[in-house]
Amino acid sequence: MDIIFHHPTFETQSWLDGMQKQLPEARVRQWHPGDDQPADYALVWHPPVEMLSGRQALKGVFALGAGVDSILSKLQAHPDMLPNGVPLFRLEDTGMALQMQEYAVSQVLHWFRRFDDYQALKQQAKWLPLEDYRREDFTIGVLGAGVLGGKVAQSLAAWGFPVRCWSRSHKNYPGITSFAGHEQLGDFLNGTRVLINLLPNTPQTVGIINHQLLNQLANDAYVMNLARGVHLVENDLLAALESGKVKGAMLDVFAKEPLPVDSPLWKHPRIAITPHLAAVTRPQEAMEYIAKTIRQIENGESPSGQVSLHNGY
């Protein structure tokens, strides 16, 4: 069994050694330009077209992250990059769900306990106890209810908040109201006080958090973007903050990364920013997941995590 690896920023040798330990029977190597030797599996992030093109013998390609949009965007420009019939897998969890839960829960509680307001008062040296928010008025809506979105929604429901989710198809998460399809998007938004975005990046979701969507949220709403920067029209968010429709935002992803120093998002007092770290790939857990999936494929099983090239996730 031959495995090739390419990642522009990961420490390559630790991955080669780690995968060798997980799959002792495999031959694991870093891919270099011109390497056209046999390969059964490819572990990639932002792969060069020539790395995968023409490799009909591949049994699986693993994207080393939760999203696969970098591969799918290249496929649009180079349809022959991934040979027909070669399955593409994403890392379904591998510790990312817990990180997303930590991020989302901590920020929702920050807003719910009005710590953002108290920080603003602190800047004015004002000692002023504020009226508490009520949970029943703090409905949380999760855009995107896949593996990560579902886990985030369930973790917030455990704190007693009314939680709803919206996705392409209906979900059956205990205690969470499910909305599906564009015909139910308005119902999902109506009354949502905290909007958390965990949608996949597809042509249908680009720019979905825009002026029209934001205006359908509850007044004094909060927005948290943990998915992709292209989902959010940044100028529309700024306008909603200035009008008072949106009270605050927590942004981890941006249309251009790193976020340019002249972006108005940096200086807005009601926007908090983190540098795309809400959930990062944990190497050990990722390698265990990949090795387990490879064994399932080798045994003729159908593992989870395969991406639909038509749906984009």
Side-chain angles (χ1 to χ4, degrees), residues 49-116:
V49 173
E50 61 269 27
M51 178 181 181
L52 303 178
S53 181
R55 291 189 179 274
Q56 304 290 340
L58 281 174
K59 302 176 186 178
V61 173
F62 291 85
L64 298 175
V68 294
D69 38 298
S70 67
I71 295 177
L72 297 180
S73 62
K74 281 195 176 182
L75 275 174
Q76 291 182 350
H78 306 277
D80 59 344
M81 182 181 80
L82 190 65
N84 289 332
V86 175
L88 173 64
F89 294 91
R90 57 184 169 84
L91 302 185
E92 280 195 310
D93 188 344
T94 64
M96 293 184 189
L98 180 58
Q99 294 175 72
M100 285 291 190
Q101 289 173 317
E102 293 167 346
Y103 193 112
V105 169
S106 64
Q107 185 58 38
V108 168
L109 293 177
H110 181 87
W111 286 327
F112 179 67
R113 291 298 307 271
R114 305 195 68 169
F115 293 151
D116 56 330

Side-chain angles (χ1 to χ4, degrees), residues 272-292:
I273 289 173
T274 51
H276 202 148
L277 50 65
V280 298
T281 301
R282 297 274 171 83
Q284 185 60 37
E285 294 173 76
M287 286 187 274
E288 290 173 359
Y289 167 81
I290 292 168
K292 175 185 174 183

Side-chain angles (χ1 to χ4, degrees), residues 221-291:
Y222 296 94
V223 174
M224 191 185 311
N225 191 11
L226 306 181
R228 288 293 184 267
V230 295
H231 291 138
L232 173 67
V233 180
E234 293 173 356
N235 286 336
D236 288 1
L237 173 64
L238 289 167
L241 284 161
E242 292 307 310
S243 72
K245 179 66 179 181
V246 171
K247 186 175 180 182
M250 183 79 194
L251 308 179
D252 184 57
V253 289
F254 305 89
K256 181 180 288 187
E257 296 182 358
L259 184 64
V261 294
D262 60 351
S263 170
L265 300 176
W266 284 114
K267 295 182 179 180
H268 200 288
R270 288 289 179 172
I271 296 177
I273 289 173
T274 51
H276 202 148
L277 50 65
V280 298
T281 301
R282 297 274 171 83
Q284 185 60 37
E285 294 173 76
M287 286 187 274
E288 290 173 359
Y289 167 81
I290 292 168

Side-chain angles (χ1 to χ4, degrees), residues 89 292-293 295-306:
F89 294 91
K292 175 185 174 183
T293 304
R295 290 194 184 96
Q296 290 175 318
I297 296 172
E298 291 292 307
N299 291 332
E301 302 172 27
S302 298
S304 61
Q306 183 171 346

Side-chain angles (χ1 to χ4, degrees), residues 117-131:
D117 291 323
Y118 286 119
Q119 179 62 19
L121 289 171
K122 182 255 185 184
Q123 300 299 327
Q124 305 171 53
K126 285 188 177 180
W127 182 283
L128 180 63
L130 301 172
E131 183 179 356

Side-chain angles (χ1 to χ4, degrees), residues 125-268:
K126 285 188 177 180
W127 182 283
L128 180 63
L130 301 172
E131 183 179 356
D132 289 343
Y133 288 144
R134 302 187 308 168
R135 273 177 168 74
E136 55 265 36
D137 299 329
F138 221 73
T139 297
I140 300 166
V142 180
L143 275 174
V147 173
L148 297 180
K151 294 286 189 181
V152 166
Q154 292 174 83
S155 68
L156 288 163
W159 283 87
F161 293 106
V163 181
R164 55 181 64 168
C165 66
W166 180 84
S167 55
R168 190 168 179 265
S169 58
H170 280 285
K171 305 298 180 182
N172 187 27
Y173 297 124
I176 297 167
T177 306
S178 176
F179 298 84
H182 286 286
E183 65 277 5
Q184 292 190 342
L185 180 58
D187 293 333
F188 163 80
L189 296 169
N190 184 28
T192 291
R193 182 73 180 276
V194 179
L195 182 72
I196 302 175
N197 178 40
L198 280 163
L199 285 169
N201 181 11
T202 68
Q204 293 74 33
T205 62
V206 171
I208 190 172
I209 306 176
N210 54 26
H211 175 77
Q212 182 180 7
L213 181 146
L214 294 170
N215 275 347
Q216 296 179 71
L217 296 172
N219 292 330
D220 288 330
Y222 296 94
V223 174
M224 191 185 311
N225 191 11
L226 306 181
R228 288 293 184 267
V230 295
H231 291 138
L232 173 67
V233 180
E234 293 173 356
N235 286 336
D236 288 1
L237 173 64
L238 289 167
L241 284 161
E242 292 307 310
S243 72
K245 179 66 179 181
V246 171
K247 186 175 180 182
M250 183 79 194
L251 308 179
D252 184 57
V253 289
F254 305 89
K256 181 180 288 187
E257 296 182 358
L259 184 64
V261 294
D262 60 351
S263 170
L265 300 176
W266 284 114
K267 295 182 179 180
H268 200 288

